[in-house]
Amino acid sequence: MVRLWIALGVAAVVFYIYSVADCALFDRSRVRGLPKPVWLLIIILFPVIGGILWFLIGRGRRRSDVGRRVTAPDDDPEFLGKLRLDHDQEERIRQLEKELAELDDNGPDNDQTGRRDG
């Protein structure tokens, strides 16, 4: 029977330390119910019960994307801006290719380096 009490005592101390550390290091924006310093005070004053309350009530869960509204690509400003950049880049490439084609069509006599071929 003594071993059981010792094991329960060790488990309570481990749980107490874990709950204090978890509350202290937990993201403040995800804490529910009470402010974070109040939760720490509750955990310290009521070790086991405070830790249980922290994990059941105070510790918020990670937000999932379940409630996130999915929008079509043509409604997303970031996507539209990327399309605009892609279109501008393609237009610049077309213009450069056109200028290169014109330079090739001019032939070697109109070489802009000032040299004449032989």
Side-chain angles (χ1 to χ4, degrees):
M1 188 65 154
V2 174
R3 291 183 198 167
L4 177 66
W5 285 109
I6 291 174
L8 287 176
V10 169
V13 169
V14 169
F15 179 72
Y16 172 71
I17 292 171
Y18 181 75
S19 59
V20 169
D22 185 62
C23 183
L25 299 175
F26 199 70
D27 184 20
R28 184 180 300 251
S29 65
R30 290 176 39 205
V31 174
R32 296 183 303 175
L34 299 171
K36 190 173 170 179
V38 175
W39 276 115
L40 275 171
L41 188 63
I42 290 172
I43 294 170
I44 290 170
L45 292 177
F46 308 103
V48 176
I49 295 173
I52 291 171
L53 289 175
W54 162 249
F55 284 108
L56 292 179
I57 299 170
R59 191 175 201 272
R61 290 192 173 85
R62 192 172 289 163
R63 293 186 182 125
S64 64
D65 291 339
V66 173
R68 184 175 172 215
R69 185 176 153 226
V70 177
T71 59
D74 57 344
D75 292 338
D76 186 9
E78 182 180 328
F79 179 77
L80 293 175
K82 184 176 181 282
L83 283 181
R84 190 176 356 270
L85 289 175
D86 289 346
H87 181 280
D88 293 344
Q89 186 177 15
E90 287 176 11
E91 186 62 36
R92 178 153 168 73
I93 289 171
R94 272 192 230 109
Q95 182 66 27
L96 288 172
E97 287 175 347
K98 181 181 173 186
E99 290 175 11
L100 284 173
E102 287 175 2
L103 286 175
D104 285 343
D105 289 343
N106 287 340
D109 293 340
N110 294 331
D111 190 8
Q112 293 184 2
T113 59
R115 295 182 286 168
R116 288 195 175 266
D117 291 337

